[in-house]
Amino acid sequence: MAIDTSSPQVRETAAPRLSTRDRLVLFVLCAAQFMVALDFSVLNVALPVLGADLGMSQSALQWAVTAFALPSGGFLLLFGRMGDLYGRRRLFLTGLALFGAASLLATFAWDPASFLAGRALQGVGAAAIVPTGMSLLTTTFPEGPARDRALGISGTLLSLGFTVGMVAGGVLTDTLGWRSTMGLLGLFAVIVLPLAPTLLPESLPHSLKGMGGAPVPDRPRLDIPGAVTVTAGLLSFIYALSTAADHGFGRPDVIVTLIAGILLLTAFVAVESRTRSPLVSLSMLRRRTVAWGNLGGLVTFSMMSTVVFVLTLYLQEVLHLSAFETGLVFGVQGVLSVVAGSYTPRVIGRLGARRTLVVSLLGQGALVATLLALDENSWSVWLATAAVSLASMCHLGAIISYGLTVTSGVPDEEQGLATGLVTSTQQVGITIGIPLLGVLATTSSDLMTGVHTVLALDAAIVLAAAVLVATGLRAGREPRA
């Protein structure tokens, strides 16, 4: 009689033991993911110094962030699918080399154009690294405790990378200058790149292999119309939301690109329903685990990024903490995220990924709701530190469990697509939270009122999402892929 290794009881008792090679593979993949996560935040506090050094205007500084965000989010689905078709290791190594070279270009940039070119190329490299790296992880470690543990470590480093970037960016800028923030990213690439070729296995679908495993010329074709519409749609959508974060939704370019993004993504769905070899199989999008899992991921990322943004304003503008003291608050958050990463796989072993996702969302929403007790008294810093740190632990639980929920049961030849959807959700989630809610705090006549309004909406959205995800994942029976 076969044993169902996917059951929580078996997963709990089958403690994963990783070989030395498995540990090295995990190190390479997680180091690359950490490097990309670091890039999202390490430059933020350095922007004023960077702008003065390169002669960039205040309005142009937005492009230091947007130039990276656009390609890193826009090309995720395309590169994830290309990895499925043409080899994940090959694309991962290409992205890693490009990211390293682009980091050096940004480090030694001599004018705004060269710096922004470096940032854009970093984004293209990141778009290749993230989905292929994650799909290499999910195909290297089989479903069950080993994958739970691997994704737990990866999710921890992803969350920690954002936090470390905020702290390290300030320290490096003050001591070594803003260029050291870009140099740090290049150093990561230099360390990881020599190890990756010998450790990572290539992954070509069986249909692409001939005698002895050699590739054959009859490869599935890439869905070019689908690739063009989804990439252009994501680029337009991310540009609109990134720009709205700084300038609001009233600008003509924001309105035009937002509408264009919606129309292009709608066209993408129409194209995929008619093509023989779709970039994204609509049957996959109809899987409950994919649809509801990604909803949970979208909410946890977007709402947590909003909390961090609003609390940064509150701590510095209301409680008048210094940048260093504010960094310490989020440093505690980072430490507890590491703790959460160590025990989340055990929780998943007991509850399963789907229940862990729901419980994590409920915990995140409830803890954000406690922040409504914040006021202008100095004691509130302790409440803010405790609540955001504990909420981040739940947030990390949601990150790990939603990744497992979406990728579980997906055939190996479609893991790049599934992980591309996961990472696209991450990117879009990080992008939309602040424009949609954070702007309410910055435009309010009273900052304290604005902070309370954003936190109340944030908590309500997360709790509502928890109920929707629980209902959606429980209804019916999951069809086989």
Side-chain angles (χ1 to χ4, degrees):
M1 179 177 177
I3 298 175
D4 181 9
T5 57
S6 65
S7 67
Q9 291 80 5
V10 174
R11 294 175 108 182
E12 178 185 354
T13 57
R17 292 186 178 181
L18 303 182
S19 67
T20 301
R21 183 180 180 83
D22 286 341
R23 292 176 186 273
L24 289 172
V25 169
L26 190 58
F27 168 78
V28 167
L29 295 176
C30 288
Q33 301 281 1
F34 180 82
M35 173 186 70
V36 174
L38 196 69
D39 201 358
F40 276 100
S41 58
V42 72
L43 195 63
N44 289 350
V45 296
L47 289 178
V49 179
L50 180 157
D53 185 32
L54 292 180
M56 297 177 69
S57 66
Q58 189 68 28
S59 59
L61 283 179
Q62 170 212 336
W63 280 99
V65 177
T66 304
F68 174 80
L70 279 174
S72 67
F75 290 102
L76 280 170
L77 280 177
L78 173 61
F79 287 163
R81 189 55 177 160
M82 286 179 65
D84 285 342
L85 297 179
Y86 307 118
R88 294 167 190 142
R89 184 183 68 173
R90 184 180 305 165
L91 194 55
F92 179 84
L93 294 176
T94 302
L96 198 57
L98 178 60
F99 189 95
S103 297
L104 291 178
L105 175 58
T107 300
F108 298 105
W110 55 92
D111 60 13
S114 59
F115 174 74
L116 294 178
R119 290 292 286 161
L121 291 173
Q122 276 184 328
V124 175
I129 292 169
V130 173
T132 54
M134 193 175 216
S135 56
L136 282 168
L137 187 150
T138 57
T139 52
T140 300
F141 299 94
E143 282 193 46
R147 185 182 293 182
D148 293 355
R149 183 179 179 186
L151 283 177
I153 295 171
S154 177
T156 300
L157 291 177
L158 175 67
S159 179
L160 188 61
F162 293 112
T163 305
V164 170
M166 294 173 63
V167 179
V171 173
L172 288 174
T173 301
D174 286 344
T175 56
L176 300 176
W178 71 266
R179 294 178 187 272
S180 62
T181 62
M182 297 291 96
L184 176 64
L185 300 173
L187 179 62
F188 264 99
V190 168
I191 293 172
V192 174
L193 189 57
L195 299 174
T198 56
L199 289 172
L200 300 180
E202 187 50 281
S203 53
L204 290 175
H206 294 295
S207 61
L208 302 187
K209 298 178 182 178
M211 295 293 292
V216 297
D218 186 19
R219 294 180 170 179
R221 294 181 179 179
L222 185 65
D223 172 22
I224 299 298
V228 170
T229 51
V230 75
T231 303
L234 286 173
L235 288 171
S236 299
F237 196 62
I238 292 171
Y239 172 81
L241 294 175
S242 300
T243 306
D246 292 318
H247 304 289
F249 283 95
R251 279 184 31 157
D253 59 336
V254 172
I255 297 172
V256 170
T257 51
L258 185 59
I259 294 173
I262 294 171
L263 292 176
L264 284 165
L265 292 176
T266 302
F268 168 69
V269 174
V271 168
E272 298 306 277
S273 66
R274 291 172 172 80
T275 185
R276 294 181 60 185
S277 301
L279 182 71
V280 177
S281 170
L282 296 184
S283 63
M284 174 175 284
L285 295 179
R286 287 193 289 267
R287 291 175 63 98
R288 290 184 301 104
T289 50
V290 173
W292 293 107
N294 274 305
L295 174 64
L298 182 70
V299 169
T300 193
F301 271 103
S302 60
M303 294 300 102
M304 200 63 207
S305 65
T306 302
V307 169
V308 171
F309 173 76
V310 169
L311 279 186
T312 301
L313 289 178
Y314 167 77
L315 293 171
Q316 295 188 358
E317 300 297 329
V318 177
L319 297 187
H320 305 293
L321 268 62
S322 67
F324 176 73
E325 291 168 330
T326 302
L328 289 179
V329 171
F330 293 110
V332 175
Q333 173 195 15
V335 170
L336 290 187
S337 293
V338 174
V339 174
S342 66
Y343 76 75
T344 295
R346 301 178 188 176
V347 175
I348 292 173
R350 289 179 176 272
L351 301 180
R354 302 181 192 187
R355 290 179 182 173
T356 303
L357 174 57
V358 173
V359 170
S360 298
L361 289 171
L362 289 172
Q364 179 179 327
L367 286 161
V368 171
T370 66
L371 291 171
L372 293 173
L374 294 176
D375 57 27
E376 298 179 3
N377 295 317
S378 58
W379 70 269
S380 289
V381 69
W382 300 106
L383 172 60
T385 303
V388 75
S389 298
L390 294 174
S392 293
M393 295 177 73
C394 295
H395 170 63
L396 185 61
I399 292 175
I400 297 171
S401 55
Y402 109 84
L404 280 169
T405 298
V406 173
T407 58
S408 294
V410 176
D412 280 357
E413 61 269 19
E414 294 186 347
Q415 280 292 331
L417 171 57
T419 55
L421 290 170
V422 168
T423 49
S424 295
T425 295
Q426 293 174 4
Q427 177 62 44
V428 174
I430 292 168
T431 304
I432 68 174
I434 295 173
L436 292 179
L437 292 184
V439 70
L440 296 176
T442 57
T443 57
S444 175
S445 58
D446 176 63
L447 181 58
M448 198 69 243
T449 301
V451 167
H452 283 150
T453 300
V454 171
L455 292 174
L457 289 171
D458 190 291
I461 291 171
V462 176
L463 293 172
V467 174
L468 289 172
V469 170
T471 304
L473 290 177
R474 187 174 62 241
R477 193 174 177 83
E478 181 62 30
R480 293 183 178 274

